[in-house]
Amino acid sequence: MSKLIALPHTAPFAPEQIAALDKVIGASSSVQRAWLAGFLAGMDAAEGKQPAAAAVAGPKPKLLVLYATESGNSEALAAKAKQDAAKLGFAARVQDVADADVQSLKDAGTIIAIISTWGDGEPPQRAAPFFRALMGDAAPRLDGVKFAVLALGDSSYAQFCESGRQVDARLEALGATRAAARIDLDLDYEAGAKTWLAATLETLAPKNADAALAGSVIHVDFHKPAAEAASKSSPFAAEITAHHKLTSDRADSETVHIELSLAGSGITYEPGDAIGFVPENDPALVGAMARAVGLEGDAALHEALTARYDISTLTAKQMKDYAALTGDAQAASLAENEAERAAFLAGRQWIDLLEAFPHRLGADAFTSLLRPLAPRYYSVASSQKLVGEEAHLTVARLAYEAAGRARLGVASGMITDRLRAGGSAKIFVRPNPHFRLPQNAETPIIMIGAGTGVAPYRGFLQELEATNAGTQAWAIFGHRHFLYDFLYQLEIQDWLKSGVLGRLDLASSRDQPEKRYVQHVLWEQRERVRQQLDQGATLYLCGDAKHMARDVDATLNRILADGRDEKAGQAALDALISAGRYKKDVY
Amino acid sequence: MTDKTTDTPKLSHNETIKTNSRFLRGGLAEGLNVVESGALSEDDQQLIKFHGIYLQDDRDLRPERAKRKLDKAYSFMARLRVPGGVLSRAQYLAMDRLSDERGNQTLRITTRQSIQFHGVIKTNLRPALRQIDSVLLDTIAACGDVNRNVMCTPNEFAGRAYAQAEKTARDISTDLLPRSGAWREIFIDDEKVTKEPEVEPIYGATYLPRKFKIAVAVPPQNDVDVFAHDLSYIAIVENGDVVGYNVLIGGGMGATHGDAETFPRVGEVIGFCKVENAVDVAEAVVTTQRDYGNRANRRRARLKYTVVDRGLDFIVNEINSRLKVKLEPARPFKFAGNGDRMGWHTSEDGLHHLTLFVENGRVANVGEWKLKAALKRIAETLDVAFILTPNQNIIVAKADDAARAEIEKILAAHGVKLRGSVLREAAIACVALPTCALALTDAERYLPGLITKLDALLAEHGLAQQPITVRMTGCPNGCARPYLAEIGFVGRNPGRYNLHLGGNADGSRLNRIYKEDADEETILATLAPLFADYAQTRQGNEGFGDFITRRGIV
Ligand code: SRM
Ligand SMILES: Cc1cc2nc3c(=O)[nH]c(=O)nc-3n(C[C@H](O)[C@H](O)[C@H](O)COP(=O)(O)OP(=O)(O)OC[C@H]3O[C@@H](n4cnc5c(N)ncnc54)[C@H](O)[C@@H]3O)c2cc1C
Ligand SMILES: Cc1cc2nc3c(=O)[nH]c(=O)nc-3n(C[C@H](O)[C@H](O)[C@H](O)COP(=O)(O)O)c2cc1C
Ligand code: SF4
């Protein structure tokens, strides 16, 4: 069961203490917690101290990690720097100079600039405009800003680390103070960068204990029990703190990664859970619907069609009801004739019906035909033990063409096309106790997933990393093109390096003449699968229900049958399932 | 860089890699099995070049990658070893199919008469090389510190002398082929086929200090640019037969911006050898470079620098001392030009040969222009051979009258014109962006548009029919031999090039920098008055490069 409140692993207590507190607080009622809060505050007050909550309210010191990159080295270092800085209690941001406005540097607080040199002594291509602005007369004074520069280069070039030098000199000229001496690094920069960053962040780190503490303090709203913090009926409006594509622009379809802030919601989840997302309909479609029934002007209806009703899905019953309501004979005969109706319904939606058989309708009459707009679910792709008060999602943009119209998924389309970082998403948690990591870290796991089916495994792997459980983990992932939609490739590489992930097998379906899917990998690896299962491994399967799940089941059946007939295979598979050792989360 | 303990210069890292590679194996076999990354270790990236393969990443995609938690878009480029560029129709067909199934759906004819495949991802590399092997081709030594693809003036079906020159090219290529079984072991059979210890009788365990390039020319054509290579042969033809070759050494194009230590250089004629001694000469030159080449600084490791540093006489003595039959005095020769002979030609046996213009060597299907499909159709249906030319074009060879008519039909049906403008046909550009890791700017993708503008400019001055060699590269390495062009563009920064002028039509004279770091506007504004002046004051049919030189403009 997902706890109502869990102290983050960063809480200033020993693991067993955290567990103990979780037990008490987790099971406590709102009244009990409110009392406890008051009591603790009172304790400090009695000793003349400020209550902690007040002490830590102060904002974290700002740190801007700027990078200029061509081939990604600086970018990778910048990401690392941000992580480390955050651990030290900074409010750290990473920014590509290509997206940075020179004027904004005034308020950057502290800047760590990671700059590579290209051409012969040129800045990276995308960084050129920023360089011009920075070197130009219009560049702002940067008095009060602190900075340190890490320059990447190749000493075999005449102008070694030239761009880094320029930035270093220019920032000083603009009045900023150099917090650490610039370092010029050659192609073998990793080690040097590591030590320099550590030392520099050390010197910059906020010495003030409260500020440092602020890095790990979780603000829980004690007055609102978490159980009610968010639900289908009253979802939590989570701020979107990150929103970016995971797939290449060359990919056949788009998948995005979003990060939601749960701060203040008291929402907690476990890897394997799903996040319920409450969508709104596409304003364009809402407009078209209103127009189709002659109610353009009706603001209330617009509002209702946007947020309350499912205006896309069209059912047989709805066709009949519409025909009845409008008394449209043609529509009626279509709705009554089984075959014709099915043919019409295939790939069609409400808007198609309304435009095929247009009638002016009253708002209430119209909405009485519609079903409520249902939330959509997305596997949580993170672990709170690693990301704290955040939830990450992996969302595939559903776009297809049917019955002569381009269609866009209601929720996925909203998330990919209309939501952006800084906006918010209405969410709640849907616990999924049947799709959890094994209780026992000794149990090996085999994670099979394709497309967004890898999402929950990112949560699993984050969890294994945070708890360094030492679990034997084997992933079998599928995608279309190795180069274009290998989701979370860089993170997976790190997990393989660190050993959190023991083995990875990939199936790219469209990189070669013959199609290759996860079930093909399973079959090639059947010996290893059997041997892992003999060692008590738990199997996980996540992703497309229609095709993948069916083919994987058939293949597992053959593998388990191990020469015997199909019934034997099925029996063995069922045994695994009832033993809770074959867990599925398919959709 | 010299290390403290001794004053002998410190060997470059690549030397250590070679030494520890067990004859070019390194960690390649294992690295190719790593699934989560499309790349190889730094050291193996150097080693795999010896097998004709480069690790690259699509630079167009770099901006999107890391933000999306994607690794760089790594893929391999594989280059054939095909001396003189001669392919049977079956071989051509196999390469065409390979590019569709495992590559980026294009074939890239190179300036050394080879074919490159781009965009071969790791999981496709072994299958791709097996397809290559299945038609008796390979990629061995197409890159790396060894002798590269041996060039030869086409075409062997056009006459005895050409066939004899082609044979010399093949003999040299075979003789200088590394003996290591690594290629077959790593990419084809997936298991050890050769029992170590192996020996490299010519190269030794650390091979050469740097790449080594050989070309064979049959005058009056200098299409292979004999002055640009480490070692070149100029066929001396008497009554239709090659009696021997003038030998040149010490040519090379590559240089580095802002590094005066590096420079392009034209080769020098050092003597004459009989046909039967051509291979011995190659071995003598190669082993001399092996023993005296610079193994400390790779930027100074080509034979041209060995010649400059040790002196020509020293090197020539070394070479002679390694020869049973010493070099004789060079014989007279004359070159007409360094371009290809475009269009149809008919040999004495009555067979027809079409040198077909392929813009920058890229065989593809683009819109109405379906060159790749056309060549495929020709290979499928007609008994012809294909020869890749030194200027990135392709010869459809040995067509009888019926085949010739059929070829013209097929090309027309696929929207392929036989010829381009005079300027365009002679122009070549290197690959550069997006695949070349060293590119500072575009070349192949930019030159066609620039040519259109230059053509217009030339037309204004009635020079549309005047042959002028234009060559462009995306960086100073000189892959399209730009320093020998009458107009050379050498990439310097995004969209900006150093403008070189003053090469001559037969490719025997280096051009010089006239304008640095010029964008398109500057390029056109700079050339316009020069074209005008040339149109007015040229002497007779003086070439543009000669005009520039005579007038002391560079
Ligand atoms: C494909 C080709 C250009 C073309 O458009 O046709 C080419 C392409 C590349 N050349 Fe080249 N070179 C090509 C002919 C040349 C020539 C011309 C020639 O050989 O006649 C030269 C100048 C002659 C010379 O060697 O001096 C040439 C001088 C270089 C150099 C500079 C060598 C030097 O000593 O300075 C490099 C860089 C290096 O070796 O470090 C280089 C490196 C490269 C690489 C492999 C970049 C790299 O090392 O990562 C390029 C791959 C680009 C790509 O994405 O395909 N390439 N390269 C030519 C392939 C020839 C072949 O089939 O083997
Ligand atoms: C437990 C669970 C976990 C999930 N996890 C994830 C996840 O991590 N990532 C993720 O991206 N999704 C996930 N999903 C799927 C997600 O919930 C949504 O179903 C998905 O985003 C589509 O919703 P939508 O509103 O965008 O599309 P909708 O507007 O609901 O449209 C979907 C409907 O369109 C129709 N349709 C779809 N394709 C076609 C076609 N080609 N032709 C004709 N009609 C078609 C079908 O009727 C389909 O039901 C999960 C689902 C579940 C149940
Ligand atoms: C074509 C090219 C040009 C380069 N020019 C320079 C240079 O002029 N000076 C320098 O110090 N480094 C130069 N470098 C080296 C890069 O700065 C170095 O690889 C760096 O790690 C790249 O970092 P990035 O991936 O963040 O861009 C060059 C690299 C390449 C491939
Ligand atoms: S000249 Fe430079 S840019 Fe062009 S292919 Fe060669 S190395 Fe690449």
Coordinates of all heavy atoms in Angstrom, one line a residue, chain A residues 504-563:
Chain A
L504 N 21.1 -5.4 -20.2 CA 20.1 -4.8 -21.1 C 20.1 -5.5 -22.4 O 21.2 -5.8 -23.0 CB 20.5 -3.3 -21.3 CG 19.6 -2.6 -22.4 CD1 18.2 -2.4 -21.9 CD2 20.2 -1.3 -22.8
D505 N 19.0 -5.8 -22.9 CA 18.8 -6.3 -24.3 C 17.8 -5.4 -25.0 O 16.9 -4.9 -24.4 CB 18.3 -7.7 -24.3 CG 19.4 -8.7 -23.9 OD1 20.3 -9.0 -24.8 OD2 19.4 -9.1 -22.7
L506 N 18.1 -5.1 -26.2 CA 17.3 -4.1 -27.0 C 16.7 -4.8 -28.2 O 17.3 -5.6 -28.9 CB 18.1 -2.9 -27.4 CG 18.6 -2.0 -26.3 CD1 19.4 -0.8 -26.9 CD2 17.4 -1.4 -25.5
A507 N 15.5 -4.4 -28.6 CA 14.9 -4.8 -29.8 C 14.5 -3.5 -30.5 O 13.6 -2.8 -30.1 CB 13.7 -5.7 -29.6
S508 N 15.1 -3.2 -31.7 CA 14.7 -2.1 -32.5 C 13.9 -2.7 -33.6 O 14.4 -3.5 -34.4 CB 15.9 -1.4 -33.1 OG 16.8 -1.1 -32.0
S509 N 12.6 -2.3 -33.7 CA 11.8 -3.0 -34.7 C 12.1 -2.6 -36.1 O 11.9 -3.3 -37.0 CB 10.3 -2.7 -34.4 OG 10.1 -1.3 -34.4
R510 N 12.5 -1.3 -36.3 CA 12.6 -0.9 -37.7 C 14.0 -0.4 -38.2 O 14.2 0.4 -39.1 CB 11.7 0.3 -37.9 CG 10.3 0.0 -37.4 CD 9.2 0.9 -38.0 NE 7.9 0.4 -37.5 CZ 6.8 0.9 -37.8 NH1 6.8 2.0 -38.7 NH2 5.7 0.5 -37.3
D511 N 15.0 -1.0 -37.6 CA 16.4 -0.6 -37.9 C 17.0 -1.5 -39.0 O 18.1 -1.2 -39.5 CB 17.3 -0.6 -36.7 CG 17.2 0.7 -35.9 OD1 16.8 1.7 -36.5 OD2 17.4 0.7 -34.7
Q512 N 16.3 -2.6 -39.3 CA 16.9 -3.6 -40.3 C 15.7 -4.1 -41.1 O 14.6 -3.9 -40.7 CB 17.6 -4.7 -39.5 CG 16.8 -5.5 -38.5 CD 16.4 -4.7 -37.3 OE1 17.3 -4.0 -36.7 NE2 15.1 -4.7 -36.9
P513 N 16.1 -4.8 -42.2 CA 15.0 -5.3 -43.1 C 13.9 -6.1 -42.3 O 12.8 -5.9 -42.5 CB 15.7 -6.2 -44.1 CG 17.1 -5.7 -44.1 CD 17.4 -5.2 -42.7
E514 N 14.4 -7.0 -41.4 CA 13.4 -7.8 -40.7 C 13.0 -7.2 -39.4 O 13.8 -6.6 -38.7 CB 14.0 -9.2 -40.4 CG 15.2 -9.3 -39.5 CD 16.5 -8.7 -40.2 OE1 16.5 -8.5 -41.4 OE2 17.5 -8.5 -39.4
K515 N 11.7 -7.3 -39.0 CA 11.2 -6.7 -37.8 C 11.8 -7.5 -36.6 O 11.9 -8.7 -36.6 CB 9.7 -6.7 -37.7 CG 9.0 -5.8 -38.7 CD 8.4 -4.6 -38.1 CE 7.6 -3.8 -39.1 NZ 8.5 -3.2 -40.1
R516 N 12.1 -6.7 -35.5 CA 12.6 -7.4 -34.3 C 12.0 -6.7 -33.1 O 12.0 -5.5 -32.9 CB 14.1 -7.1 -34.3 CG 14.9 -7.7 -33.1 CD 16.4 -7.6 -33.3 NE 17.0 -7.6 -32.0 CZ 17.4 -8.7 -31.3 NH1 17.1 -9.8 -31.8 NH2 18.0 -8.6 -30.1
Y517 N 11.3 -7.6 -32.3 CA 10.6 -7.1 -31.1 C 11.1 -7.8 -29.8 O 11.9 -8.7 -29.9 CB 9.1 -7.4 -31.3 CG 8.4 -6.7 -32.4 CD1 8.0 -7.4 -33.6 CD2 8.2 -5.3 -32.4 CE1 7.4 -6.8 -34.7 CE2 7.6 -4.7 -33.5 CZ 7.2 -5.4 -34.6 OH 6.6 -4.8 -35.7
V518 N 10.6 -7.3 -28.7 CA 11.0 -7.9 -27.4 C 10.9 -9.4 -27.3 O 11.7 -10.1 -26.8 CB 10.3 -7.2 -26.2 CG1 10.9 -5.8 -25.9 CG2 8.8 -7.2 -26.4
Q519 N 9.8 -9.9 -27.9 CA 9.6 -11.3 -27.8 C 10.7 -12.1 -28.6 O 11.0 -13.2 -28.2 CB 8.2 -11.7 -28.4 CG 7.9 -11.4 -29.8 CD 7.2 -10.1 -30.0 OE1 7.3 -9.2 -29.1 NE2 6.5 -9.9 -31.1
H520 N 11.2 -11.5 -29.6 CA 12.3 -12.1 -30.3 C 13.6 -12.2 -29.4 O 14.2 -13.2 -29.3 CB 12.7 -11.4 -31.6 CG 11.5 -11.4 -32.6 ND1 10.9 -10.2 -33.0 CD2 10.9 -12.4 -33.3 CE1 9.9 -10.5 -33.8 NE2 9.9 -11.8 -34.0
V521 N 13.8 -11.1 -28.7 CA 14.9 -11.1 -27.7 C 14.7 -12.2 -26.7 O 15.6 -13.1 -26.4 CB 15.1 -9.8 -27.0 CG1 16.1 -9.8 -26.0 CG2 15.4 -8.7 -28.0
L522 N 13.5 -12.3 -26.2 CA 13.1 -13.3 -25.2 C 13.5 -14.7 -25.7 O 14.1 -15.5 -25.0 CB 11.6 -13.2 -24.8 CG 11.2 -12.3 -23.7 CD1 9.7 -12.2 -23.6 CD2 11.8 -12.7 -22.4
W523 N 13.1 -14.9 -26.9 CA 13.3 -16.3 -27.5 C 14.8 -16.6 -27.6 O 15.3 -17.6 -27.2 CB 12.6 -16.4 -28.8 CG 12.7 -17.8 -29.4 CD1 13.3 -18.2 -30.5 CD2 12.2 -19.0 -28.8 NE1 13.3 -19.5 -30.7 CE2 12.6 -20.1 -29.6 CE3 11.4 -19.3 -27.6 CZ2 12.2 -21.4 -29.4 CZ3 11.1 -20.6 -27.4 CH2 11.5 -21.7 -28.3
E524 N 15.6 -15.5 -28.2 CA 17.0 -15.7 -28.3 C 17.6 -16.0 -26.9 O 18.5 -16.8 -26.8 CB 17.7 -14.5 -28.8 CG 17.4 -14.2 -30.3 CD 17.7 -12.8 -30.7 OE1 18.4 -12.1 -29.9 OE2 17.2 -12.3 -31.8
Q525 N 17.1 -15.4 -25.9 CA 17.7 -15.5 -24.5 C 16.9 -16.5 -23.7 O 17.0 -16.5 -22.5 CB 17.6 -14.1 -23.9 CG 18.3 -13.0 -24.6 CD 19.8 -13.2 -24.5 OE1 20.3 -13.8 -23.5 NE2 20.6 -12.8 -25.5
R526 N 16.2 -17.4 -24.3 CA 15.4 -18.3 -23.5 C 16.1 -19.1 -22.4 O 15.6 -19.3 -21.3 CB 14.6 -19.3 -24.4 CG 15.5 -20.1 -25.4 CD 14.6 -20.8 -26.4 NE 15.3 -21.5 -27.4 CZ 15.9 -21.0 -28.5 NH1 15.9 -19.7 -28.7 NH2 16.6 -21.7 -29.3
E527 N 17.4 -19.5 -22.7 CA 18.1 -20.2 -21.7 C 18.3 -19.3 -20.5 O 18.0 -19.8 -19.4 CB 19.5 -20.5 -22.3 CG 19.6 -21.9 -23.0 CD 18.7 -22.9 -22.2 OE1 18.9 -23.0 -21.0 OE2 17.9 -23.6 -22.9
R528 N 18.7 -18.1 -20.7 CA 18.9 -17.1 -19.6 C 17.6 -16.9 -18.9 O 17.5 -16.8 -17.6 CB 19.5 -15.8 -20.1 CG 19.9 -14.8 -19.1 CD 20.3 -13.5 -19.7 NE 21.4 -13.8 -20.7 CZ 22.7 -13.8 -20.3 NH1 23.1 -13.7 -19.1 NH2 23.6 -14.0 -21.3
V529 N 16.5 -16.8 -19.6 CA 15.2 -16.6 -18.9 C 14.9 -17.8 -18.0 O 14.6 -17.6 -16.8 CB 14.0 -16.4 -20.0 CG1 12.7 -16.4 -19.3 CG2 14.3 -15.2 -20.9
R530 N 14.9 -19.0 -18.5 CA 14.7 -20.1 -17.7 C 15.6 -20.1 -16.4 O 15.1 -20.3 -15.3 CB 14.9 -21.4 -18.5 CG 13.9 -21.7 -19.5 CD 14.0 -23.2 -20.0 NE 13.3 -23.3 -21.3 CZ 14.0 -23.3 -22.4 NH1 15.3 -23.2 -22.5 NH2 13.4 -23.4 -23.6
Q531 N 16.8 -19.9 -16.7 CA 17.8 -20.0 -15.6 C 17.5 -18.9 -14.5 O 17.5 -19.1 -13.3 CB 19.2 -19.8 -16.1 CG 20.3 -19.6 -15.2 CD 21.1 -18.3 -15.6 OE1 21.3 -18.1 -16.8 NE2 21.6 -17.6 -14.6
Q532 N 17.1 -17.7 -15.0 CA 16.7 -16.6 -14.1 C 15.5 -17.0 -13.3 O 15.4 -16.8 -12.0 CB 16.5 -15.3 -14.8 CG 17.7 -14.6 -15.3 CD 18.5 -13.9 -14.2 OE1 17.9 -13.0 -13.5 NE2 19.7 -14.3 -14.0
L533 N 14.5 -17.6 -14.0 CA 13.3 -18.0 -13.3 C 13.6 -19.1 -12.2 O 13.0 -19.1 -11.1 CB 12.2 -18.5 -14.3 CG 11.6 -17.4 -15.1 CD1 10.7 -17.9 -16.2 CD2 10.8 -16.4 -14.2
D534 N 14.5 -20.0 -12.6 CA 14.9 -21.0 -11.6 C 15.5 -20.4 -10.4 O 15.3 -20.9 -9.3 CB 15.9 -22.0 -12.2 CG 15.3 -22.8 -13.4 OD1 14.1 -22.9 -13.4 OD2 16.1 -23.3 -14.2
Q535 N 16.1 -19.2 -10.6 CA 16.7 -18.5 -9.4 C 15.6 -17.6 -8.7 O 15.9 -16.8 -7.9 CB 17.8 -17.6 -9.8 CG 19.1 -18.4 -10.3 CD 20.1 -17.5 -10.8 OE1 20.2 -16.3 -10.5 NE2 21.0 -18.1 -11.7
G536 N 14.3 -17.9 -9.1 CA 13.3 -17.2 -8.4 C 13.0 -15.8 -8.9 O 12.3 -15.0 -8.3
A537 N 13.4 -15.5 -10.1 CA 13.2 -14.1 -10.7 C 11.7 -13.8 -10.8 O 10.9 -14.6 -11.0 CB 13.9 -14.0 -12.0
T538 N 11.4 -12.5 -10.7 CA 10.1 -12.0 -11.0 C 10.1 -11.3 -12.3 O 11.0 -10.5 -12.6 CB 9.7 -10.9 -9.9 OG1 9.6 -11.6 -8.6 CG2 8.3 -10.4 -10.2
L539 N 9.1 -11.6 -13.2 CA 9.0 -11.1 -14.5 C 8.0 -9.9 -14.5 O 7.0 -9.9 -13.9 CB 8.4 -12.1 -15.4 CG 9.3 -13.0 -16.2 CD1 8.4 -14.1 -16.9 CD2 10.0 -12.3 -17.3
Y540 N 8.4 -8.8 -15.2 CA 7.5 -7.7 -15.4 C 7.3 -7.4 -16.8 O 8.2 -7.5 -17.6 CB 8.1 -6.4 -14.7 CG 8.3 -6.5 -13.2 CD1 9.4 -7.1 -12.7 CD2 7.3 -6.0 -12.4 CE1 9.6 -7.2 -11.3 CE2 7.5 -6.1 -11.0 CZ 8.6 -6.6 -10.5 OH 8.8 -6.7 -9.1
L541 N 6.0 -7.0 -17.2 CA 5.7 -6.7 -18.6 C 4.9 -5.4 -18.6 O 3.9 -5.3 -17.9 CB 4.9 -7.8 -19.2 CG 4.5 -7.5 -20.7 CD1 5.7 -7.4 -21.6 CD2 3.5 -8.6 -21.2
C542 N 5.3 -4.4 -19.3 CA 4.5 -3.2 -19.4 C 4.6 -2.6 -20.8 O 5.5 -2.7 -21.5 CB 5.1 -2.2 -18.4 SG 4.2 -0.6 -18.4
G543 N 3.4 -2.1 -21.2 CA 3.3 -1.4 -22.5 C 2.0 -1.9 -23.2 O 1.0 -2.2 -22.6
D544 N 2.1 -1.9 -24.5 CA 1.0 -2.1 -25.4 C 0.3 -3.5 -25.1 O 1.0 -4.5 -25.1 CB 1.4 -2.1 -26.9 CG 0.4 -2.6 -27.8 OD1 -0.6 -1.9 -28.0 OD2 0.6 -3.8 -28.3
A545 N -1.0 -3.4 -24.9 CA -1.7 -4.6 -24.5 C -2.1 -5.4 -25.8 O -2.0 -6.7 -25.8 CB -3.0 -4.3 -23.7
K546 N -2.4 -4.7 -26.8 CA -3.0 -5.4 -28.0 C -2.0 -6.4 -28.6 O -2.3 -7.5 -28.7 CB -3.4 -4.3 -29.1 CG -4.8 -3.7 -28.8 CD -5.2 -2.8 -29.9 CE -5.8 -1.5 -29.4 NZ -4.9 -0.7 -28.6
H547 N -0.8 -5.9 -29.0 CA 0.1 -6.7 -29.7 C 1.2 -7.3 -28.8 O 1.3 -8.5 -28.6 CB 0.7 -6.0 -30.9 CG -0.3 -5.2 -31.7 ND1 -0.6 -3.9 -31.4 CD2 -1.1 -5.6 -32.7 CE1 -1.5 -3.5 -32.3 NE2 -1.9 -4.6 -33.0
M548 N 2.0 -6.4 -28.2 CA 3.1 -6.8 -27.5 C 2.8 -7.9 -26.4 O 3.3 -9.0 -26.4 CB 3.9 -5.7 -26.8 CG 5.1 -6.1 -26.1 SD 5.8 -4.8 -25.0 CE 4.5 -4.7 -23.8
A549 N 1.8 -7.6 -25.6 CA 1.5 -8.5 -24.4 C 1.1 -9.9 -25.0 O 1.6 -10.9 -24.4 CB 0.4 -7.9 -23.6
R550 N 0.4 -9.9 -26.1 CA -0.1 -11.2 -26.6 C 1.2 -12.0 -27.1 O 1.4 -13.1 -26.7 CB -1.1 -11.0 -27.7 CG -2.1 -12.0 -27.8 CD -2.9 -11.9 -29.1 NE -2.0 -11.8 -30.2 CZ -2.1 -10.8 -31.1 NH1 -2.9 -9.8 -30.9 NH2 -1.2 -10.7 -32.1
D551 N 2.0 -11.3 -27.8 CA 3.1 -12.0 -28.4 C 4.1 -12.5 -27.3 O 4.7 -13.5 -27.4 CB 3.9 -11.1 -29.4 CG 2.9 -10.8 -30.6 OD1 1.9 -11.5 -30.8 OD2 3.2 -9.8 -31.3
V552 N 4.3 -11.6 -26.3 CA 5.2 -11.9 -25.2 C 4.7 -13.2 -24.5 O 5.4 -14.1 -24.2 CB 5.4 -10.7 -24.3 CG1 6.1 -11.2 -23.0 CG2 6.3 -9.7 -25.0
D553 N 3.4 -13.1 -24.2 CA 2.8 -14.3 -23.5 C 3.0 -15.6 -24.3 O 3.5 -16.6 -23.7 CB 1.3 -14.1 -23.3 CG 1.0 -13.2 -22.0 OD1 2.0 -13.0 -21.2 OD2 -0.1 -12.8 -21.8
A554 N 2.8 -15.5 -25.6 CA 2.9 -16.7 -26.4 C 4.4 -17.2 -26.3 O 4.6 -18.4 -26.2 CB 2.6 -16.4 -27.8
T555 N 5.3 -16.2 -26.4 CA 6.7 -16.6 -26.4 C 7.1 -17.2 -25.0 O 7.8 -18.3 -24.9 CB 7.6 -15.4 -26.7 OG1 7.1 -14.8 -27.9 CG2 9.1 -15.8 -26.9
L556 N 6.7 -16.5 -23.9 CA 6.9 -17.1 -22.6 C 6.4 -18.5 -22.5 O 7.0 -19.4 -21.9 CB 6.4 -16.2 -21.5 CG 7.1 -14.9 -21.3 CD1 6.3 -14.0 -20.3 CD2 8.5 -15.1 -20.7
N557 N 5.2 -18.6 -23.0 CA 4.6 -20.0 -23.0 C 5.5 -21.0 -23.6 O 5.8 -22.0 -23.0 CB 3.2 -19.9 -23.7 CG 2.5 -21.2 -23.7 OD1 3.1 -22.3 -24.0 ND2 1.2 -21.2 -23.4
R558 N 6.0 -20.7 -24.8 CA 6.9 -21.6 -25.5 C 8.2 -21.9 -24.7 O 8.6 -23.0 -24.5 CB 7.3 -21.1 -26.9 CG 6.4 -21.5 -28.0 CD 6.7 -20.7 -29.2 NE 7.9 -21.0 -29.9 CZ 8.7 -20.1 -30.6 NH1 8.3 -18.9 -30.7 NH2 9.8 -20.5 -31.2
I559 N 8.7 -20.8 -24.1 CA 9.9 -20.9 -23.3 C 9.7 -21.8 -22.1 O 10.5 -22.8 -21.8 CB 10.5 -19.6 -22.9 CG1 10.9 -18.7 -24.1 CG2 11.6 -19.7 -21.9 CD1 11.3 -17.3 -23.7
L560 N 8.6 -21.6 -21.4 CA 8.3 -22.4 -20.2 C 8.0 -23.8 -20.5 O 8.3 -24.8 -19.8 CB 7.2 -21.7 -19.4 CG 7.6 -20.4 -18.8 CD1 6.4 -19.7 -18.2 CD2 8.7 -20.5 -17.8
A561 N 7.2 -24.0 -21.7 CA 6.9 -25.4 -22.1 C 8.2 -26.2 -22.3 O 8.2 -27.4 -22.0 CB 6.1 -25.3 -23.4
D562 N 9.2 -25.5 -22.8 CA 10.5 -26.1 -22.9 C 10.4 -27.5 -23.6 O 10.8 -28.5 -23.0 CB 11.1 -26.3 -21.5 CG 12.6 -26.6 -21.6 OD1 13.1 -26.6 -22.8 OD2 13.3 -26.8 -20.6
G563 N 9.7 -27.5 -24.7 CA 9.6 -28.8 -25.5 C 8.3 -29.4 -25.3 O 7.7 -30.1 -26.1

